[in-house]
Structure formats: structure tokens, C-alpha cells
Amino acid sequence: MSLAERIETATERLNTTIVDRPRVVVVAFLLLTGVFIGGLGSVQMSAGGLDAFTDDLPEQKTLDEVEQNFEQPFQTDAQTTTQLIRTKSNVLTREALVRDARLLERVAEHDEYRMESARGPAPIIAQHLNPSATTPADYRRTLERATPSEIRQAVRELDDSSRLSGVVSNDFNPTSVSASASITTISHDFPGSFGDDDLTAVQTDLQAIADDTPGDVRAFGSGTTETEISQSVQDSLLIVMPVVILLLLFFLVVAYRDPIDVLLGLVALVMTIIWTFGFLGYSGIPFSQQMISVPVLLLAVGVDFGIHIINRYREETERGFEAVEAMREANAQLLIAFVIVTVTAVFGFGANVISDLTPIRNLGIASAVGIIFTFLIFGLFLPATKLVCDNVRTRLGVPEFNTAPIASEESALGRVLAFPARVSQHAPAVIVLVLLLSSSLIGAYGAGVGTSFENEDFLPPEELPAYVTGLPEPFSPGEYTITSTINLLDDKFGSSQGSTVKIYARGNFKEDHALEALAAPNDNPPESFAVGPGGQAEAQSIVTVIQSHAERDEEFAALVARNDQNDNGIPDRNLERIYDELFASSASGRAEQYLTEDYRSALVEYQTDSDASQTEVTTGGEEMADEFQFKATSTGDVVVRAAVMDRIFQSAIQGLVLAVVLTAVFLVAIYGVLERKPLLGVVNVFPILIAIAFLLGTMRYLDITLNALTATILSISVGVGIAYSVHTTHRFIDEFDATTGAHEAMMITLTGTGGALFGSMLTTALGTGALALAITPILGNFGVLIGLSVTYSFLAAVIALPPAVLLWERIRQWDLDPLARLRPATR
């Protein structure tokens, strides 16, 4: 038995089971639904923010190592710190400092908050005034006893040693002793069993305490951040899903025009969501922001399948078949098409599994498994349930409503859909050539689409749009402060210059000339680093700490001078003694930021050109690291984000290529095996390539970048869009035979299947487009793009596929009959 015969036999057996034993099929699926309901309680919610994309990257691991080895003045450990941010007044007055100390004292009174230490203006100034002050109560008493002039003098002295760096805003004025914002970082001693929920609870309590403190104080940390991002996911679902359901319900009513059929479609959609979420619960894949697109996509694809099966069933009943035979005939024609669509959709959605980024990989797995569930429920359960319900309806005498197909040759929609086929019969080669040229130009333009990876992609906006804030309960979103807090930190504590790149160097820095080697790359840096005087690099390192301290301490300056053989301000011998003196001095805090206690690891921070692109900065960092005589690595937030952006772009391109190649190979093979027409597989891919070219061009025109979610749109477009070409081609094959020419078969296809395609396009485009209503921009842009992708795919299937199919048929006739090229075309 040939492979084609085996496939046909298996399909017939499956069809027979659905048609002859529908109740068994229905019961089996209901039992499976009960199993998947058991997994719903295990679904984990994940914020899915920046950290989810950077955790496994080598660049992030290097940055984590740097932050672990060097004391940072403004460091936010995701699991062990909470920041208390005070604003809207001079935070360096005696009254403000006392209030901060009292706030810390209240926190310390609660053992469950496990405050280990605190670093901020109040502790630093209090310890400078009284070195024996070690507790928040000591800080408060010291500051209460100090006079305003003593505090001002202490601040000026601390400024000389840069000990206030990072804890007061960048508008700090040591002369007037003023700053508009401060950060007090509380370090917690949490046990290993302390989870994210526990951290969130602590930081929520700290915010409540801060609210009772005079002035504007915000508690900020990973717990509050994750909570708000997770809340935005839930709020987005509450806003988007009702809109999606209402739209789908509306189009189900329009497409089915029968309340029982509408109810069956809704039941199948609910089962699809239950199965998919149950799978997420059992598999341990967390539900994040990016995952919101999965149920929306599956609902849209499910409606597409449902419209096709019900519409084809109605076509067969109109031809005079009884219910069972009509469903047998409809299934016989659609099952293979559904299998082809499902396999190609799995290729499109699942292509994201090869991504190096865990959230994108999880999205690929969930969507690929979900589309298989969609096929099983709509391809097997829905036909069986339809037969059972129609049987009950007949026995009870329940009347049928409008059950005519969506479109026919006589309808206005049918005539519009058939127009491209009518035009294509005259010059299909010319039309195909024009489509190729135009899509190539638009695709070349779209190749310049940008890539981004920013906090703003994941966070709710600082001000929610009016249509969101005006929603009634329970759809009204919560209050979000994270974006305004991050903007405040950027404004008050961020640099107005370019990004900062860290060079992490490892070696023996006690050796003579080690510091000379550390400073040598600064003289001839890459252009993006040449921001200092004379085109040199502007660096902060243990060298600059030594030079700065030498300017303030004559004895230390003399030590440095005695060991500086070439008089350039950089000591080149007796370095261990110099380090020992430095670490024993008031500059020890600064020294610890750039040199480890064993003198074997050093950090150099470079300021970069504010006009340089992220790519230029990252490349410059790699070049600088190569110039060091030590083992050196370039890192920093800008480097990590650039690495993620590279992987996002790679995921987009690799996913697209893999999806297209696998889809093309599969279609060529399946059409070759089943129909002995392998080139139809290539013809099938032609419309989707045109749709993707137009999508890329639109992305660039609308300035929508490839980000953590939209990077998946290209391969997902293959998975969603190929269905339109497959359904059209499969129906064409059913109609095309020796008595029905290619043009006539295409006309029948577009007036029959074209109507179902039009209905599914509307539901999918508008249903997925509802994601544009989501709170976070990353989901909004994805909703716009998937809506455009579906629309382009439908138009390409209706406009580009007919001339391609007709051209294929003419080439086929030429191969079969070389003299046919000398005769006028008849098809």
C-alpha cells in the first residue's frame, strides 16, 4: 500500500469514527476536558519583564558577577533590597533626615522584614557624625542632636569623598546642601525559602509604612515591580478577552446564523482554552505578558476551523445529502486540509522554540501545542457534536434557522471574491511578475525594521488612556506607579550623558605597571568612547580613585609620587602598599567599587557618546576589552540589552526561515504524495511570502520594532496565514478535474471556500486586533500586527493565489503537451 493510500485509509477510518460513533467521540473529549481542568489550578503567573529575557545570557551572568564582586553605590539586588525613594523637597535638611531615620526605625521594629542594613543619606550622615551609630535608633538620635550647621558641614565633607554618590539626586548642590531626591536602600536577610510572594508582601507593607511618613516616599523593588507587571497582565486579560469574545460571538452569529451552532462553536472555543491552560499548568510553563497572545490566536484559529466545517456541511446539505452523509462528505474534504493547516501552523508557531530567549521559546511551545488542541477539538469534536445536536433537534422538532452557506456565486460577496480569478485568466504570468516585483520592493524597505528591548515595552504607561480608566468594575484596572517611579529614577539619578559600559578585568593587580596597563586603553579608544578631552576615554577606575584621594590627602599623594616612575599620576610599583593605604582611608568605599579585596579583579567604567547607537557602544566595549593586557570582558546594562536585541532579531529571522522552509517542504511532499502535484506546495507558499513582505514594510512605516513579542510575528504569520492558501488550494484540487478547468475550479473555490475565508479573516483580524486595547504597548503592537498579518494573508490568498495557480496549470499543460503553447489557452 502506498503512502497516499495509507493516509487516505487513516482519514476514512477517522471520519467513519466521527460520523458513525459521534456520541463516543463527544464523551471522550468531555472526559479529556475534565483532565485538563485539573491543570488549571497549577498555572503560574509570571510578569515576563526584562529579567525573564536576560537571566540565562552570558552577558547578564558577567554583569551579575561584577555586581557581586564590587560594591555598587546604586545597586538593586532583585531578591535582597528595597529602595525608599524620597522626593518633592530638600532631602538633606535636618528634618528630612530625621524623618528617614524614623522610617528606618519603624521598619527595624518588625522582625518579619528582616532588615539587615540600610544605606542612604540618613545612615551615612549619622555615621559620619557619630561612627558608633549602627542602628536606625542611633541614626535618629544622632541626627536629632546635631545642629543644621553640623549636618551641612558633614554633607560637604562626605561630598569630598564621594560617599553620597548614588544616594542623592544628580541635582545635588554641596554648597547649598540641597538635593530634590534621595534613595535609601534597605538590605534584607531573607532565608533561602523566601519566595517572590513573600518579597512582594514585605515591600507592600513597607509602602504602607512609607505612606504614613511625612513627605513623598515610595517603596520600590523587584517585588512591587513584578506585582504591577503581573497585575497589568491580569488587567489586560480582563479588558481584551471580553472584547475578543464579544467580537467572536458577533461573527459566529453572522457566520452561523443559528443559535445552536453558535453555542456549539462557543463550547469548542472554551474547551480549546481549557486544554491549553491545563497543559500550561501540567507542564510548568508560566503564563506571562507574551502568553496573552496565545488564547487570542487559538480562539481566532478555532473560529476559522469552525466556520469551514459548518459552512462546508451546509453546502453538502443544500446539495441534498442527509446529515450523516453531508458531514461524511464535508469531513472527507476538510480533514486533510485541517491536518495540513495544523502541521503548517505548528511549524509557524513552533519555529519560535529554537529561540535562545526563554519567554519566546515558551510562547512557541504553548502556541504549537494549542493549535494541535484546536485541530482535535474543531476537527473531531465539533463535527461529532454537530451530528448529535442535529439528531436531537430532529427528534424534538426544533426548527432550523438560516443555514445557508456564507457566500455563493449569486451573492455580492461571491462575485467580489471571484473577481481576481476572473481577471487572472487573461495574463496570470504578468500578474505574478507584478506581485513579485512589488512585494520584493516592499520587503526590501521592510528589511530596515528596527529592533528594541526597553522597559517601556513591558510596563503599563505612566498615564493610562481614558477608555481604560473609564471602565466599570471589574474591568477597571488597578493603580500603577512603577513607570512613574522608573521615570523618576532616570530623571533624578540617571546620567544625562551616554550609556555606561563596564570592563571587568581579572589578573594580578599587585604587579608593577598593572595600573599603567589598566589605563593604557584610554588613550586611543573607539569613537563611541572618545568623550574625554583630546579624544580620550572618560573612565572611572581604581586609578581615578587613587588620583582623587591623592588630591585630598598629602601623605597619600607623597606615597603615590614616590612610586610613580614616569610622573603621570599613575603609580607603577609598590601597588599592594598603595592599595592597603587606600582601603584603610576614607576613600575605601570608592575603592571597593573598582577593586576587589584580594586585588585580583578590577572594574573600569566608561562613559559613552550619547549620540552613539547601542550597537556602536557594544562593539566599542568589545574593542576596549580586547585592548587590555588582562583577561577582560565588556558588560553593563547596555551590553546586556544589545545581546537580547541581537537574539530577538536572530529569533525573528531564524523562526521565519525555519517556518517557511518546513512549510514549503511539507506542502511539496503532501501535495506530491496525495495529489501528484508537488509544485502546488510551492504555489501555496507564494501568497504568504507576499503577505510577510507587506507586513514588514508596514512595520517599518508605522515605526513598530521587532521586540520581545513582535519578533514572533513573522513565523506566526506563516502559521496563521498559510491556512488561507491551504484551504483555497485544497478546495481547488477538489473541484479541478478533467471536466472542470482550472479557471472554473478557481471561480467555484473563491465563491465557496472564499466566503468562509472572508468570515474567518474578519473574526481573526478583529479578534486578535483587540490586543491593541491591552494596557502594555508590547501587546498593543502585537495585536495590530497580527490583525494586519491575517488581513494581508487573506488578500494574498484571494489576489495572488489565483494567478499563481492558473500559471501553474498552464506550465503543467505545456509539460504534458508541448504543442499546447501554440494553441490559445482554454482554461
Side-chain angles (χ1 to χ4, degrees), residues 159-215:
D159 176 56
D160 290 340
S161 61
S162 302
R163 289 187 61 193
L164 291 176
S165 173
V167 300
V168 292
S169 52
N170 49 22
D171 59 2
F172 167 57
N173 188 328
T175 303
S176 62
V177 188
S178 64
S180 62
S182 67
I183 295 175
T184 300
T185 302
I186 296 175
S187 296
H188 304 278
D189 181 21
F190 292 138
S193 60
F194 206 80
D196 293 340
D197 292 341
D198 300 316
L199 177 63
T200 298
V202 167
Q203 293 180 343
T204 302
D205 289 347
L206 292 183
Q207 181 62 64
I209 295 175
D211 290 339
D212 293 336
T213 302

Side-chain angles (χ1 to χ4, degrees), residues 448-471:
V449 66
T451 310
S452 69
F453 184 69
E454 303 292 341
N455 262 319
E456 290 76 9
D457 292 336
F458 300 89
L459 304 178
E462 189 167 351
E463 293 186 9
L464 296 177
Y467 75 84
V468 172
T469 55
L471 291 174

Side-chain angles (χ1 to χ4, degrees), residues 17 85 141 143 181 272 299 304 307 359 450 695 702 821:
T17 302
I85 306 163
R141 286 190 291 266
L143 293 168
T272 301
L299 289 176
D304 170 45
I307 288 176
L695 181 65
L702 297 178
R821 21 187 123 190

